[in-house]
Amino acid sequence: MSGFVDGLTEQLEQLNLQPVIRRLKQGMPVGELWQATMPAAVLLLDDVGRGERSSMESTGIFVAQGLLWDEEHSDNPLLARGSLVGALQVEHLAAQGHRRIGFLAPRAEHDQLFRRLRIEGAEAACLDLGLDRPRVESTDLTPEGVAAALRSWWGVAADDRVTAVCVYSDDYAFALLSAMRHLGISAPEDLAVIGADNIPLGPFADPPLTAIDHGQDVLVTHLAQVIVCGIHGDRPPATPPLHPTLIIRESA
């Protein structure tokens, strides 16, 4: 998520816009925030409710429905890629012969939208391929938390251990590979690991990280253009094709 925010910030600044990023905790009054800042536009990355959106729009604020998944935007192609990431992870692992798959997910509240989408995609792919649902472990991004998740998959009989893990993000994948080294578990021989972001550090993981490239650069460029057009009252640009792709390296 941090890479997405950084990329969008850079795009908006190049367009002479000053972004202000806020993560809202559950129950936090959204109205107080936008009324205090009175921005030209608001990009929503979660649902704030129909009434709140209408209130913003009534004051002239352009509201971009960036990554919403609600009753009005259930076919949002920008969100669909979230499910595709999880599905592509499972499809690659299954093609390598893996039948028992885990999913390492974040516990943090602000990651829950993307977490849900990626797990749903992984579960759907498992169903299509005749596999059991992935064994999901949620944890904070700490050495202790990731190690505990790993032990939950491996502290069982050998014939019941997961043999591959879909990871929510490359940050978590790096942490998982580190925990595996401490426990003497090798990738991909003992446990295959596949990330989800294809960050620039991916090739420097040990072993180099297999991951999904989900076209983040294309997405942030599109959203920046949507915001600029909305502020100026112009027709929004067409949604670009977004095709997550598999980047195969040595970890899976």
Side-chain angles (χ1 to χ4, degrees):
M1 185 65 172
S2 60
F4 169 84
V5 172
D6 290 343
L8 184 59
T9 296
E10 182 177 349
Q11 288 280 340
L12 292 172
E13 287 177 343
Q14 290 176 1
L15 295 167
N16 297 318
L17 295 174
Q18 182 58 55
V20 176
I21 311 298
R22 290 289 185 272
R23 282 177 172 164
L24 299 179
K25 296 181 179 179
Q26 188 171 9
M28 182 181 293
V30 180
E32 292 182 9
L33 176 61
W34 67 260
Q35 289 169 23
T37 57
M38 288 306 294
V42 171
L43 173 65
L44 296 172
L45 301 186
D46 206 343
D47 193 10
V48 298
R50 221 178 269 172
E52 199 67 62
R53 297 201 300 268
S54 297
S55 296
M56 286 187 277
E57 290 169 341
S58 69
T59 66
I61 296 173
F62 172 70
V63 180
Q65 313 287 352
L67 300 178
L68 283 173
W69 189 293
D70 61 16
E71 69 278 3
E72 297 178 15
H73 304 90
S74 59
D75 61 346
N76 190 327
L78 301 182
L79 269 187
R81 88 193 210 292
S83 296
L84 286 174
V85 168
L88 285 174
Q89 288 176 314
V90 166
E91 288 168 4
H92 174 67
L93 297 175
Q96 304 304 306
H98 296 286
R99 307 293 296 175
R100 297 185 300 278
I101 295 174
F103 195 106
L104 183 60
R107 185 174 288 147
E109 181 180 312
H110 60 261
D111 286 321
Q112 293 310 298
L113 173 63
F114 292 101
R115 174 189 188 276
R116 174 170 61 85
L117 291 171
R118 292 180 183 180
I119 292 175
E120 286 177 354
E123 290 177 338
C126 284
L127 180 62
D128 290 343
L129 294 167
L131 306 178
D132 290 340
R133 295 173 66 177
R135 303 179 193 179
V136 178
E137 289 291 333
S138 299
T139 183
D140 297 318
L141 187 56
T142 63
E144 299 78 13
V146 175
L150 177 58
R151 285 193 293 269
S152 74
W153 292 314
W154 268 64
V156 295
D159 60 359
D160 194 40
R161 293 172 179 168
V162 302
T163 62
V165 178
C166 304
V167 188
Y168 166 80
S169 71
D170 288 0
D171 290 343
Y172 274 80
F174 270 74
L176 178 59
L177 290 171
S178 175
M180 289 167 59
R181 285 193 296 274
H182 280 92
L183 293 179
I185 301 170
S186 62
E189 294 81 10
D190 298 324
L191 185 66
V193 176
I194 182 169
D197 306 309
N198 193 33
I199 63 174
L201 285 176
F204 300 98
D206 183 18
L209 182 63
T210 295
I212 306 299
D213 187 326
H214 46 80
Q216 181 167 280
D217 291 345
V218 175
L219 174 61
V220 297
T221 297
H222 172 70
L223 290 176
Q225 292 171 347
V226 167
I227 292 170
V228 171
C229 289
I231 291 173
H232 294 138
D234 299 331
R235 181 189 295 272
T239 301
L242 295 168
H243 303 295
T245 55
L246 174 68
I247 308 298
I248 299 177
R249 298 192 182 98
E250 297 173 24
S251 68

